[in-house]
Amino acid sequence: MLNTLDIARPVAARPSAQAPLLSVENLRVEFDTSRGRVRAVDGVSWNVYPGETMAIVGESGCGKSVSALAVMGLLAKPAGRVAGGRIMFGDRDLTKLSTSQLRELRGRDIAMVFQEPMTSLNPVLSIGMQLAEPLRIHLGMNAQEARERSIELLGLVGIADAARRLDQYPHQFSGGMRQRVMIAIALTCNPKLIIADEPTTALDVTIQAQVLELMKELSQKLGIALVIITHNLGIVARYADRLTVMYAGRVVEEGTAEQLFARPRHPYTLGLLRSVPRLDRPRAGLLDTIDGLPPNLLAPPTGCRFAERCFLRAAACEADPPLFDLAEGQRSACHRHAKLEQALAARPAAPPLPEAAPSDGEAPLLSVRALRKDFHVPVGQGRHGLVRAVDDVSFDVPRGTTLGVVGESGCGKTTVGRMILRLTPQTSGEVLFEGTDIASASAEAMRKLRLRMQVVFQDPFSSLNPRMSIGDTLNEPQLVYRKARNRREADERSAELLRRVGLVPEMASRYPHQLSGGQRQRVGIARALAMQPSFIVCDEPVSALDVSVQAQIMNLLTDLQNSLGMTFLFIAHDLAVVRHISQRIVVMYLGRVVEAADCDDLYREPLHPYTQALLDAAPVPDPTIERQRAARVLKGEPPSPLNPPSGCTYHTRCPRATAECAGIVPPLREVRPGHFAACIKL
Amino acid sequence: MLRYIVKRLALMIPMLFTVALLTFFLLRVIPGDIVEVKLRADGGNVSQEVIERERVRLGLDKPLVVQFGDWMKGIVTFDYGTSMWTGQPISREIGIRLGLSMQVAVMAAIVAVLIAVPLGTVSALFRDSWIDYLVRIVTIAGLAVPSFWLGMLIILGLLSLFNWSPPVTYTSFFTDPIANLSQLIWPALAVGYRYAAVVARMLRSSVLEALQEDYIRTARAKGVFERLVIVRHTLPNALLPAITVIGLELAFLMGGLVVTEQVFNLNGIGRLFVEAVTRNDFTLIQTLVMMIAVMFAVVNLIVDLLYGVLDPRVTNQ
Amino acid sequence: MTTLSQTALRPSPARRRWRDNPVVDFAVSQPLGVAGLVAVLAMVVAAVLADFIAPYDPVAIDFEAMLAPPSLAHPFGTDSFGRDILTRIMYGARTALTIGFISSFIGCTIGALIGLASAYYGGWRDMIVQRGIDLLLSFPIIVLALVVVAMVGRNRVGGIDVNLICAITVPIIPRAARVVRSAGLSIREMPYVDAARAAGYSSARIILRHMAPNVLGPYLILLTAYIAQAILLEASLSFLGLGVNEPTPAWGLMLSGNSANFYQTAPWMILFPGAAISLAVFGFNLVGDALRDWLDPRLKT
């Protein structure tokens, strides 16, 4: 009961002397599932002060969204309910309000922006109708007043031609635009507080920057307090004043952004910060990881919930830690918070990243030449449009190295990977694997080639066959390709493969649904290794994973490359991740390569304006750096691939574009030795 | 819009032609000659000569391809030939029965939709309550009770309560609307029960699905009244897929009529179809099959056009 | 490598609870399904043990007991030939179950294979299959069955109504194929199928080993639902005189012919066989529905 006592104690120093706007006190939320009762939020407290931006940070399943939904009274019924604690908004306890009192408050005093802009707007109602609804319900406006205010609001969130767009429907808006509409809806009644639940997770990095800048600017201008729920530490560093870190249904640390990023006082916060690859630091060694997995909330451990994964674990950790008050409002739920820095200094530094050097003069393992892919997509009423998903893409992957392919969604990077594996036939161009053209390979030759090139997919939940045990999944390629003579030999090799990817051999008897995301991704890698390939296409292999697990998988890939001399094509949208793992990088935009360079050259001196914009838009997890950086937000949205701009496809968004750019398709040329860019302004 | 309709109608032609081709030739693959069935029906001993003469009269002596060509030519000119059994023109055989069957179908559809929409919605909104269980049991029963048995139960009930039995003759709506309606409402109910059950079940699941959508959460987060969340945000989305089912089931009512007309002594299309099958009346069967295919295609087109009007995602493409 | 090898196999944290048993879980979460299962089991018992538990011979004509109302000797009464209706219902269950199960099994299996292959291959092959399915789906089940009856005639082969089974199977095939195809299309896009293709496995292996087990759920639901449909269809066809032939006991047949002449004098001739059909179909539908709700993760809380 230490926890409760601690919360009841008045808190001395606060960044703000005001009373909190919203104060969540010792909140408990339970869900009834078919497997038992889950206490998703277990004694959590956090405050929001007027006008500030507070971030709740944590990995999936830590209870960060659930606590926000509890504030709004939007927990999924009847499974979820508030089981204890208070939610004070002013002097009212939201958990005690009647349904209709809570409804009056929602949208008027507290508004919410959700993660999925594509599904959060009603597809059969016009945007105008959806915007006007809260105005008419809460403010009693008539149709004309509501419409005028709606036009004003759309202008405020940066949607041009507002009067006309009010009569349109959600499917006529892009994802970024829909999120702007959601923000406009949240702003309708001038709420005191907006809760944004992963507002940009579904968006590309350039659009993410636009949306977040907009939210920050508007909340400051209108004096609205903002709660941002996110797993992205970069966003937190740039936009949050204060943050609350959650782990397994509890708050583990809170404080200002500066405090937590400079001097985290909980091992979990520290681990989170150290396990993400950083754009602002030189590439160094393997990533720090947090070992193991978060506890199962059906049967949470007693004592400190992080103890099992903690390098500072001691006997004291068997008791439930209270939130210890540290200097200036920073609080940490770690018994050993005072020892943290000392212990960290004593830890050995991460081993340096061995640099895989391409051996000069040797022919590349894989060459892609003028690859192109056209898709015919239906555009309604039986008509079809042509989308050139990949256009004139060429690159080499030297043996034993990693080539990173980076770009936003729809840039064609995944299609390139699929054409290399002949999962999607190309429209034209060549894919040469050790000099053999894959497109023209016979079925027999292809079977031989498949042994040498394998794939690891993004989504660990669907990349394993749910009806096959892990052992069967790993045995299958060995038996089909006679890598093992019999079942027993295959079992033995599978056990060896599981050990190789950091799992225990006993896992073979399990089924995918019994594994965590990171474990499944390890099995996916083991399945690729079972063929003993020399080349693996990794298609967004870590983007669906939590940061601590992401680091584990990236370290595994690095290790495999070093010990087995493997060659990788690494496709990803996260610039820091690609940088960490690749030797050479290709940047794609709307189906074309805009820049290709060695990793360090590219990040040190990006040449193409699009690469520069991408790097500017990606926030780094350091508030000091972030606050010094001017906001340089890339304007506009990626054009429709059905109707791409003429000339350089980037000229519609490029700050350097002139009339000339619309006329010429810029060729990829060598601007510096080994550094190619497709821009005529260089 | 008009162009779209014309294009859709044009696309129906190859489909209907395939139906015609398949029915015509598959019907004639298995031996089973109508002439023999007809002339030797009562065990009578008819000479081969008579049979041959009858075959020539019906055009059955010509090669199959020629027969098919004749039929196709007839269809284009709205001349469907004559029934192999009664010798009457098929257009007349169908004409005198079509009105009756259509009326029963339309009445059944109206009754069914009126019952199904509130039932399905309420069932979803009060999911897992006693009312939901009741609706679910009633609707599953609707799929289970054969319409002909339901018809028999209705007759049994009317007989024992009012001593009313189905009249042998059909009264047209225009001569005596009351007599007409009181005669046809019972078969309409017998086939409409199943129809209502299908629509209500469909609606229940689409309302449940819509309620789980993110935009419903958005509406609640805006502070929209719960009643409006249902009426304005949930129902329009849930009713859209139900339109398809309402349309298709209307086109499929023919199936129910096939047996129910038998029970109520109604001389409609369904009964004609059963008789045609019993008597191997190929010309009649193939024409009826074509008619059902056309009806289905037209209903489908109407449903699609309705979507164009009601679903903004289709309208503003 | 310490960081990697420490991701140990974790003991399953939650204790094994009694609801972890799928049978128990089904029983607890789907009470209507259990009710349906009881009806189905009753029918199976009647069908299998008819020879031992039926009080009379199903085809024995007994003019003494003609049109006898329900009594202790004849619980459901007798028909116009004096045959015991309860006995005929028990033997009718045998007919209904045999024809229902065989037709549904053949129809769903063929349909599922067509649907899977069509989803896997895509392109022009899928186009053709789809057009074929659309074409067959434009006819109500009973109309299609009647057309098949008209095509293949009504002959018994080796004591089994092969033609009847054929007539009932044909309408089931496109319906099963459509459902399985759409399930197959989403499975086709799953990365694990891409992984199998990238591993160079044969198409047959991918369809049967990787895709088929993942449509087992929809397949079982279809199988149950179409047993119900097939029983209903068999009853309808027999009622029309185009299905099972006298004197074989069949529920639809018991309602057809001259039973309509006895509305007032012998209503039990109508009530009991119809109730048997309804109960059987009802039972299978309940089971099918419960299976669907139970297997559909979206509706799970």
Side-chain angles (χ1 to χ4, degrees), chain A residues 291 293 296 308 418 423 450 454 457 462-467 476-477 480-481 502 504 507 510 527 559, chain C residues 1 3-4 6-7 9-10 13 17 20 190-192 194-195 197-201 205 209-210 213-214 301:
Chain A
D291 294 332
L293 300 168
N296 185 325
E308 198 192 341
R418 295 180 62 85
L423 290 175
R450 295 231 182 258
Q454 271 304 301
F457 290 103
S462 55
S463 60
L464 299 178
N465 191 333
R467 302 271 170 187
E476 190 180 24
V480 169
Y481 284 101
V504 290
M507 204 142 255
R510 295 211 172 181
R527 175 180 57 193
D559 174 61
Chain C
M1 289 313 300
T3 50
L4 295 179
Q6 279 172 6
T7 310
L9 182 76
R10 304 165 61 79
R17 291 144 30 89
D20 286 350
M190 285 288 168
Y192 61 80
D194 274 338
R197 291 177 63 213
Y201 300 152
R205 184 180 193 91
R209 183 89 176 90
H210 289 264
N214 287 293
T301 42

Side-chain angles (χ1 to χ4, degrees), chain A residues 370-385:
Chain A
L371 204 56
R372 189 210 281 172
K373 178 67 193 177
D374 295 339
F375 285 112
H376 294 270
V377 294
V379 291
Q381 301 214 339
R383 283 193 299 268
H384 285 258

Side-chain angles (χ1 to χ4, degrees), chain C residues 108 215-227 287-288 291 295:
Chain C
C108 289
V215 294
L216 199 65
Y219 175 81
L220 285 178
I221 295 165
L222 282 173
L223 187 68
T224 323
Y226 280 110
I227 292 178
V287 175
L291 264 181
L295 292 173

